[in-house]
Amino acid sequence: MSASVFPSTLIGKGPSWQGFGQLKFLVIFGASYCDVGYNYRFSPVPTDDQPLGVEFPGTTFAEPGEANWVGHLITNYASSIPLLVYDYAWGGSRVPDVKTQIEVIFRQHIGEKPARAPWTATDTLFITWVGINDSAWSSENSENLKNLFEAHETLYNTGARNFLFANIPPIDRSPGVLSSFPRGTAENYVNWNTELKKAAALFATAHHDATVMIYSSWDTFNTLLDDPKAHGFSAEDVYRAGASIWVDALHPTSKVHDFVARDLSTFLLAQGAWSEIEHNQQI
């Protein structure tokens, strides 16, 4: 197997990272792949009994009544149970929407660390997965990523220190793009992931006390689509909407989301807690 172009990567590790097993909260921003139907105005605060703040698995873009990667992660792969989730993602989001999720909704809802959501720098991971919708419109995303990371300055200033960014999968291999653009638009998604790496590295350099990671959905999807039978799928379903891999022309099934959660958790578990000895060896 050739080396990945966009592997999951730990870019920087800060003292607030105590390992995946020490997390109590996930705060999620993004689009349809992350959406569980949580509404900060009307949904209850997440609790041990209802960790998504809505009845599990929420309303997702997978099959009706089925979990996406968020639900799979907290039920099947999280080291600590329960892991409470504040999921501000909504379907169709692009970078300006994620800026709103961060700079308006998160700040108003739990940005001040209210008693109902006593998150801290050490027990909370902030996850952002956006770019699919942005890349549908542009093959040059440096300005988009600049704006996205400006929003993450707001998170940093509220006390966030642990950040994970999911890159985007090869959407040119989805049924919708294959049928609309037979030659594919791979350069759009390659450009996003390339610019994400650059922007995340700059962010980590500017914030040495932050932990900055990239999870590669690019690798998860390519691995699955390259060898569907090994993952329990039919080879024909690689190209078909409404089958075992793609629930529609663009969105993956719950089973695919489970592979996302598995790979994400494997990556997170591999990132041990920050230590001063390790830090001194790196500088």
Side-chain angles (χ1 to χ4, degrees):
M1 179 181 294
S2 60
S4 171
V5 178
F6 301 115
S8 295
T9 306
L10 172 67
I11 298 174
K13 186 187 294 185
S16 293
W17 179 254
Q18 299 301 308
F20 185 37
Q22 299 303 309
L23 295 176
K24 296 180 181 178
F25 300 97
L26 298 179
V27 181
I28 299 174
F29 309 104
S32 58
Y33 280 33
C34 306
D35 193 345
V36 297
Y38 184 77
N39 185 309
Y40 80 106
R41 287 194 180 96
F42 306 113
S43 301
V45 171
T47 64
D48 291 358
D49 294 330
Q50 197 161 278
L52 296 176
V54 292
E55 185 176 353
F56 189 88
T59 303
T60 73
F61 280 74
E63 305 93 314
E66 296 294 333
N68 63 13
W69 68 268
V70 181
H72 288 304
L73 183 68
I74 65 172
T75 54
N76 299 332
Y77 302 103
S79 298
S80 57
I81 302 293
L83 191 55
L84 305 186
V85 180
Y86 288 86
D87 190 335
Y88 300 110
W90 68 75
S93 289
R94 296 162 67 181
V95 166
D97 303 301
V98 171
K99 284 176 67 69
T100 298
Q101 292 169 23
I102 293 171
E103 296 176 350
V104 179
I105 297 173
F106 163 77
R107 287 186 65 188
Q108 292 179 356
H109 194 219
I110 62 169
E112 299 299 322
K113 305 181 183 69
R116 68 180 185 275
W119 65 272
T120 69
T122 58
D123 68 9
T124 307
L125 176 63
F126 292 80
I127 300 177
T128 301
W129 192 357
V130 69
I132 292 175
N133 299 310
D134 304 82
S135 297
W137 297 97
S138 175
S139 61
E140 298 295 331
N141 286 291
S142 58
E143 190 66 22
N144 268 331
L145 269 302
K146 177 183 176 182
N147 291 334
L148 182 67
F149 278 83
E150 285 177 356
H152 281 75
E153 289 291 336
T154 297
L155 287 180
Y156 182 88
N157 291 335
T158 63
R161 291 297 181 271
N162 299 320
F163 302 91
L164 182 137
F165 300 89
N167 67 21
I168 59 176
I171 295 299
D172 55 295
R173 302 183 69 177
S174 68
V177 176
L178 285 171
S179 61
S180 301
F181 305 96
R183 295 182 181 180
T185 55
E187 65 273 11
N188 293 30
Y189 312 111
V190 168
N191 178 262
W192 177 276
N193 288 345
T194 301
E195 296 299 328
L196 175 63
K197 286 170 57 178
K198 294 177 184 177
L202 288 173
F203 186 78
T205 298
H207 303 296
H208 290 289
D209 61 339
T211 296
V212 181
M213 300 173 279
I214 294 179
Y215 154 69
S216 183
S217 79
W218 178 270
D219 280 2
T220 297
F221 276 73
N222 273 322
T223 299
L224 186 154
L225 294 172
D226 287 346
D227 193 356
K229 289 185 178 180
H231 296 82
F233 299 105
S234 166
E236 293 77 16
D237 288 353
V238 167
Y239 311 103
R240 296 196 304 177
S244 64
I245 295 176
W246 302 99
V247 71
D248 56 27
L250 183 65
H251 298 95
T253 61
S254 183
K255 186 175 179 179
V256 174
H257 277 283
D258 186 64
F259 282 108
V260 169
R262 182 202 66 179
D263 289 355
L264 174 57
S265 66
T266 298
F267 172 64
L268 288 172
L269 286 167
Q271 314 312 318
W274 180 93
S275 72
E276 189 170 0
I277 294 175
E278 180 185 26
H279 174 71
N280 290 336
Q281 290 173 341
Q282 293 174 347
I283 60 176

Short mmCIF file of all heavy atoms in Angstrom, two decimals, residues 73-114:
data_model
loop_
_atom_site.label_atom_id
_atom_site.label_comp_id
_atom_site.label_asym_id
_atom_site.label_seq_id
_atom_site.Cartn_x
_atom_site.Cartn_y
_atom_site.Cartn_z
N LEU A 73 -19.14 6.83 17.87
CA LEU A 73 -17.95 7.12 18.66
C LEU A 73 -18.23 7.05 20.15
O LEU A 73 -17.47 6.42 20.91
CB LEU A 73 -17.40 8.50 18.29
CG LEU A 73 -16.12 8.93 19.01
CD1 LEU A 73 -14.94 8.08 18.54
CD2 LEU A 73 -15.83 10.42 18.77
N ILE A 74 -19.31 7.66 20.59
CA ILE A 74 -19.54 7.73 22.04
C ILE A 74 -20.11 6.43 22.60
O ILE A 74 -20.01 6.19 23.81
CB ILE A 74 -20.47 8.91 22.41
CG1 ILE A 74 -21.87 8.74 21.83
CG2 ILE A 74 -19.84 10.22 21.97
CD1 ILE A 74 -22.87 9.77 22.33
N THR A 75 -20.68 5.58 21.75
CA THR A 75 -21.25 4.33 22.26
C THR A 75 -20.32 3.13 22.07
O THR A 75 -20.28 2.23 22.92
CB THR A 75 -22.59 4.01 21.58
OG1 THR A 75 -22.41 4.01 20.15
CG2 THR A 75 -23.64 5.04 21.95
N ASN A 76 -19.57 3.11 20.97
CA ASN A 76 -18.77 1.93 20.64
C ASN A 76 -17.29 2.08 20.87
O ASN A 76 -16.59 1.07 21.02
CB ASN A 76 -18.99 1.55 19.16
CG ASN A 76 -20.42 1.22 18.84
OD1 ASN A 76 -21.17 0.77 19.71
ND2 ASN A 76 -20.82 1.45 17.60
N TYR A 77 -16.80 3.33 20.90
CA TYR A 77 -15.35 3.50 20.87
C TYR A 77 -14.78 4.43 21.94
O TYR A 77 -13.56 4.47 22.11
CB TYR A 77 -14.92 4.01 19.50
CG TYR A 77 -15.32 3.08 18.38
CD1 TYR A 77 -16.41 3.37 17.56
CD2 TYR A 77 -14.63 1.90 18.15
CE1 TYR A 77 -16.79 2.52 16.53
CE2 TYR A 77 -15.00 1.03 17.13
CZ TYR A 77 -16.08 1.36 16.32
OH TYR A 77 -16.45 0.50 15.32
N ALA A 78 -15.61 5.18 22.63
CA ALA A 78 -15.09 6.10 23.62
C ALA A 78 -14.51 5.35 24.81
O ALA A 78 -15.09 4.37 25.28
CB ALA A 78 -16.18 7.06 24.08
N SER A 79 -13.38 5.83 25.29
CA SER A 79 -12.75 5.20 26.45
C SER A 79 -13.51 5.51 27.72
O SER A 79 -13.53 4.70 28.65
CB SER A 79 -11.30 5.69 26.58
OG SER A 79 -10.55 5.33 25.44
N SER A 80 -14.08 6.69 27.78
CA SER A 80 -14.83 7.09 28.98
C SER A 80 -16.30 7.20 28.61
O SER A 80 -16.66 7.84 27.64
CB SER A 80 -14.32 8.43 29.52
OG SER A 80 -14.38 9.43 28.53
N ILE A 81 -17.13 6.57 29.40
CA ILE A 81 -18.56 6.61 29.19
C ILE A 81 -19.21 7.21 30.42
O ILE A 81 -18.93 6.77 31.54
CB ILE A 81 -19.13 5.20 28.94
CG1 ILE A 81 -18.45 4.56 27.73
CG2 ILE A 81 -20.63 5.22 28.76
CD1 ILE A 81 -18.76 5.22 26.41
N PRO A 82 -20.11 8.18 30.32
CA PRO A 82 -20.53 8.78 29.06
C PRO A 82 -19.62 9.93 28.65
O PRO A 82 -18.96 10.56 29.47
CB PRO A 82 -21.92 9.31 29.40
CG PRO A 82 -21.80 9.70 30.84
CD PRO A 82 -20.87 8.69 31.46
N LEU A 83 -19.59 10.19 27.37
CA LEU A 83 -18.90 11.33 26.80
C LEU A 83 -19.99 12.26 26.29
O LEU A 83 -20.75 11.90 25.41
CB LEU A 83 -18.00 10.86 25.67
CG LEU A 83 -16.96 11.82 25.07
CD1 LEU A 83 -16.05 12.38 26.15
CD2 LEU A 83 -16.14 11.09 24.02
N LEU A 84 -20.09 13.44 26.88
CA LEU A 84 -21.18 14.36 26.55
C LEU A 84 -20.82 15.20 25.33
O LEU A 84 -19.69 15.66 25.20
CB LEU A 84 -21.49 15.26 27.74
CG LEU A 84 -21.81 14.55 29.06
CD1 LEU A 84 -22.24 15.56 30.12
CD2 LEU A 84 -22.90 13.49 28.86
N VAL A 85 -21.82 15.41 24.46
CA VAL A 85 -21.56 16.02 23.16
C VAL A 85 -22.41 17.27 22.99
O VAL A 85 -23.64 17.23 23.14
CB VAL A 85 -21.88 15.04 22.01
CG1 VAL A 85 -21.62 15.70 20.66
CG2 VAL A 85 -21.08 13.75 22.16
N TYR A 86 -21.75 18.38 22.65
CA TYR A 86 -22.43 19.58 22.19
C TYR A 86 -22.16 19.69 20.70
O TYR A 86 -21.07 20.06 20.27
CB TYR A 86 -21.91 20.81 22.93
CG TYR A 86 -22.38 20.86 24.36
CD1 TYR A 86 -21.66 20.20 25.37
CD2 TYR A 86 -23.55 21.52 24.72
CE1 TYR A 86 -22.10 20.22 26.68
CE2 TYR A 86 -23.99 21.55 26.03
CZ TYR A 86 -23.26 20.90 27.01
OH TYR A 86 -23.69 20.91 28.31
N ASP A 87 -23.15 19.32 19.90
CA ASP A 87 -22.99 19.21 18.45
C ASP A 87 -23.76 20.34 17.78
O ASP A 87 -24.98 20.30 17.69
CB ASP A 87 -23.50 17.84 17.98
CG ASP A 87 -23.15 17.54 16.54
OD1 ASP A 87 -22.95 18.50 15.76
OD2 ASP A 87 -23.09 16.35 16.18
N TYR A 88 -23.02 21.33 17.32
CA TYR A 88 -23.63 22.52 16.71
C TYR A 88 -23.68 22.45 15.19
O TYR A 88 -24.05 23.43 14.53
CB TYR A 88 -22.86 23.77 17.14
CG TYR A 88 -22.86 23.98 18.65
CD1 TYR A 88 -21.70 23.81 19.40
CD2 TYR A 88 -24.03 24.32 19.31
CE1 TYR A 88 -21.71 23.99 20.78
CE2 TYR A 88 -24.06 24.50 20.69
CZ TYR A 88 -22.88 24.33 21.42
OH TYR A 88 -22.91 24.50 22.78
N ALA A 89 -23.33 21.31 14.61
CA ALA A 89 -23.30 21.17 13.16
C ALA A 89 -24.71 21.14 12.58
O ALA A 89 -25.64 20.65 13.23
CB ALA A 89 -22.57 19.88 12.78
N TRP A 90 -24.84 21.63 11.36
CA TRP A 90 -26.10 21.46 10.63
C TRP A 90 -25.81 21.22 9.16
O TRP A 90 -24.80 21.67 8.61
CB TRP A 90 -27.05 22.62 10.86
CG TRP A 90 -26.67 23.94 10.27
CD1 TRP A 90 -26.73 24.32 8.96
CD2 TRP A 90 -26.22 25.10 10.99
NE1 TRP A 90 -26.34 25.63 8.81
CE2 TRP A 90 -26.02 26.14 10.03
CE3 TRP A 90 -25.99 25.38 12.34
CZ2 TRP A 90 -25.58 27.41 10.39
CZ3 TRP A 90 -25.54 26.65 12.69
CH2 TRP A 90 -25.35 27.64 11.73
N GLY A 91 -26.72 20.48 8.54
CA GLY A 91 -26.54 20.07 7.15
C GLY A 91 -26.41 21.25 6.20
O GLY A 91 -27.09 22.26 6.36
N GLY A 92 -25.54 21.09 5.22
CA GLY A 92 -25.34 22.12 4.21
C GLY A 92 -24.34 23.19 4.59
O GLY A 92 -24.09 24.11 3.80
N SER A 93 -23.77 23.11 5.76
CA SER A 93 -22.89 24.18 6.24
C SER A 93 -21.63 24.31 5.41
O SER A 93 -21.05 23.33 4.93
CB SER A 93 -22.51 23.93 7.70
OG SER A 93 -23.60 24.15 8.55
N ARG A 94 -21.22 25.57 5.28
CA ARG A 94 -19.94 25.93 4.71
C ARG A 94 -19.19 26.75 5.76
O ARG A 94 -19.68 26.94 6.88
CB ARG A 94 -20.14 26.69 3.41
CG ARG A 94 -20.82 25.85 2.33
CD ARG A 94 -21.42 26.67 1.20
NE ARG A 94 -20.41 27.35 0.41
CZ ARG A 94 -20.71 28.15 -0.63
NH1 ARG A 94 -21.99 28.32 -0.98
NH2 ARG A 94 -19.76 28.74 -1.31
N VAL A 95 -18.01 27.22 5.43
CA VAL A 95 -17.19 27.92 6.42
C VAL A 95 -17.93 29.08 7.09
O VAL A 95 -17.87 29.22 8.32
CB VAL A 95 -15.87 28.39 5.79
CG1 VAL A 95 -15.17 29.41 6.68
CG2 VAL A 95 -14.95 27.19 5.56
N PRO A 96 -18.66 29.94 6.37
CA PRO A 96 -19.37 31.02 7.07
C PRO A 96 -20.36 30.50 8.11
O PRO A 96 -20.56 31.14 9.16
CB PRO A 96 -20.09 31.76 5.93
CG PRO A 96 -19.25 31.49 4.73
CD PRO A 96 -18.78 30.08 4.90
N ASP A 97 -20.98 29.36 7.83
CA ASP A 97 -21.91 28.78 8.81
C ASP A 97 -21.16 28.27 10.04
O ASP A 97 -21.64 28.42 11.17
CB ASP A 97 -22.69 27.64 8.16
CG ASP A 97 -23.45 28.07 6.93
OD1 ASP A 97 -24.30 28.97 7.04
OD2 ASP A 97 -23.17 27.54 5.84
N VAL A 98 -20.01 27.66 9.83
CA VAL A 98 -19.22 27.19 10.97
C VAL A 98 -18.72 28.37 11.80
O VAL A 98 -18.65 28.29 13.03
CB VAL A 98 -18.07 26.29 10.50
CG1 VAL A 98 -17.10 25.98 11.64
CG2 VAL A 98 -18.62 24.99 9.93
N LYS A 99 -18.38 29.46 11.15
CA LYS A 99 -18.02 30.67 11.90
C LYS A 99 -19.17 31.09 12.81
O LYS A 99 -18.96 31.48 13.96
CB LYS A 99 -17.65 31.80 10.95
CG LYS A 99 -16.27 31.66 10.32
CD LYS A 99 -16.00 32.75 9.30
CE LYS A 99 -15.89 34.12 9.93
NZ LYS A 99 -14.69 34.29 10.77
N THR A 100 -20.40 31.01 12.30
CA THR A 100 -21.57 31.33 13.12
C THR A 100 -21.72 30.32 14.25
O THR A 100 -22.03 30.70 15.39
CB THR A 100 -22.84 31.35 12.25
OG1 THR A 100 -22.72 32.37 11.27
CG2 THR A 100 -24.08 31.60 13.10
N GLN A 101 -21.54 29.04 13.95
CA GLN A 101 -21.61 28.02 14.99
C GLN A 101 -20.65 28.30 16.13
O GLN A 101 -20.97 28.09 17.30
CB GLN A 101 -21.31 26.64 14.38
CG GLN A 101 -22.36 26.13 13.42
CD GLN A 101 -21.89 24.91 12.64
OE1 GLN A 101 -21.00 24.19 13.08
NE2 GLN A 101 -22.49 24.68 11.47
N ILE A 102 -19.46 28.80 15.79
CA ILE A 102 -18.44 29.06 16.79
C ILE A 102 -18.63 30.42 17.45
O ILE A 102 -18.71 30.52 18.68
CB ILE A 102 -17.03 28.98 16.16
CG1 ILE A 102 -16.72 27.55 15.72
CG2 ILE A 102 -15.97 29.47 17.14
CD1 ILE A 102 -15.45 27.41 14.90
N GLU A 103 -18.67 31.46 16.64
CA GLU A 103 -18.58 32.82 17.16
C GLU A 103 -19.89 33.33 17.76
O GLU A 103 -19.87 34.26 18.58
CB GLU A 103 -18.13 33.76 16.04
CG GLU A 103 -16.72 33.45 15.55
CD GLU A 103 -16.30 34.30 14.36
OE1 GLU A 103 -17.16 35.01 13.79
OE2 GLU A 103 -15.11 34.25 14.00
N VAL A 104 -21.00 32.72 17.36
CA VAL A 104 -22.29 33.16 17.90
C VAL A 104 -22.91 32.08 18.79
O VAL A 104 -23.10 32.30 19.99
CB VAL A 104 -23.27 33.52 16.76
CG1 VAL A 104 -24.61 33.94 17.33
CG2 VAL A 104 -22.67 34.63 15.89
N ILE A 105 -23.18 30.91 18.22
CA ILE A 105 -23.94 29.90 18.94
C ILE A 105 -23.15 29.32 20.11
O ILE A 105 -23.63 29.31 21.26
CB ILE A 105 -24.40 28.79 17.98
CG1 ILE A 105 -25.35 29.39 16.92
CG2 ILE A 105 -25.10 27.68 18.74
CD1 ILE A 105 -25.73 28.41 15.83
N PHE A 106 -21.96 28.83 19.85
CA PHE A 106 -21.15 28.27 20.95
C PHE A 106 -20.90 29.31 22.03
O PHE A 106 -21.04 29.03 23.23
CB PHE A 106 -19.83 27.74 20.41
CG PHE A 106 -18.79 27.53 21.47
CD1 PHE A 106 -18.85 26.42 22.31
CD2 PHE A 106 -17.75 28.44 21.64
CE1 PHE A 106 -17.90 26.24 23.31
CE2 PHE A 106 -16.80 28.26 22.63
CZ PHE A 106 -16.88 27.15 23.47
N ARG A 107 -20.50 30.51 21.61
CA ARG A 107 -20.17 31.54 22.62
C ARG A 107 -21.38 31.86 23.49
O ARG A 107 -21.25 32.03 24.71
CB ARG A 107 -19.68 32.80 21.92
CG ARG A 107 -18.27 32.66 21.34
CD ARG A 107 -17.79 33.98 20.78
NE ARG A 107 -17.62 34.98 21.84
CZ ARG A 107 -17.36 36.26 21.60
NH1 ARG A 107 -17.27 36.71 20.36
NH2 ARG A 107 -17.20 37.11 22.60
N GLN A 108 -22.56 31.94 22.88
CA GLN A 108 -23.76 32.26 23.66
C GLN A 108 -24.21 31.09 24.52
O GLN A 108 -24.73 31.30 25.62
CB GLN A 108 -24.90 32.67 22.72
CG GLN A 108 -24.69 33.98 22.01
CD GLN A 108 -25.83 34.31 21.07
OE1 GLN A 108 -26.77 33.53 20.89
NE2 GLN A 108 -25.78 35.48 20.44
N HIS A 109 -23.98 29.88 24.04
CA HIS A 109 -24.53 28.71 24.70
C HIS A 109 -23.66 28.24 25.86
O HIS A 109 -24.11 28.19 27.01
CB HIS A 109 -24.73 27.59 23.67
CG HIS A 109 -25.58 26.47 24.16
ND1 HIS A 109 -25.32 25.15 23.88
CD2 HIS A 109 -26.71 26.46 24.93
CE1 HIS A 109 -26.24 24.39 24.44
NE2 HIS A 109 -27.09 25.15 25.08
N ILE A 110 -22.41 27.92 25.57
CA ILE A 110 -21.55 27.39 26.64
C ILE A 110 -20.14 27.99 26.64
O ILE A 110 -19.26 27.52 27.34
CB ILE A 110 -21.43 25.85 26.58
CG1 ILE A 110 -20.77 25.40 25.25
CG2 ILE A 110 -22.79 25.20 26.76
CD1 ILE A 110 -20.39 23.91 25.27
N GLY A 111 -19.95 29.05 25.84
CA GLY A 111 -18.63 29.64 25.75
C GLY A 111 -18.08 30.16 27.06
O GLY A 111 -16.87 30.17 27.28
N GLU A 112 -18.97 30.58 27.94
CA GLU A 112 -18.54 31.12 29.24
C GLU A 112 -18.44 30.04 30.33
O GLU A 112 -18.33 30.36 31.50
CB GLU A 112 -19.51 32.22 29.68
CG GLU A 112 -19.57 33.40 28.73
CD GLU A 112 -18.23 34.10 28.58
OE1 GLU A 112 -17.51 34.21 29.60
OE2 GLU A 112 -17.91 34.52 27.45
N LYS A 113 -18.49 28.79 29.92
CA LYS A 113 -18.39 27.66 30.86
C LYS A 113 -19.44 27.75 31.98
O LYS A 113 -19.12 27.76 33.16
CB LYS A 113 -17.00 27.57 31.48
CG LYS A 113 -15.86 27.50 30.47
CD LYS A 113 -14.52 27.39 31.21
CE LYS A 113 -13.36 27.38 30.24
NZ LYS A 113 -13.17 28.69 29.57
N PRO A 114 -20.72 27.79 31.62
CA PRO A 114 -21.77 27.89 32.64
C PRO A 114 -21.84 26.62 33.48
O PRO A 114 -21.30 25.57 33.10
CB PRO A 114 -23.04 28.06 31.81
CG PRO A 114 -22.72 27.39 30.51
CD PRO A 114 -21.27 27.66 30.26
#
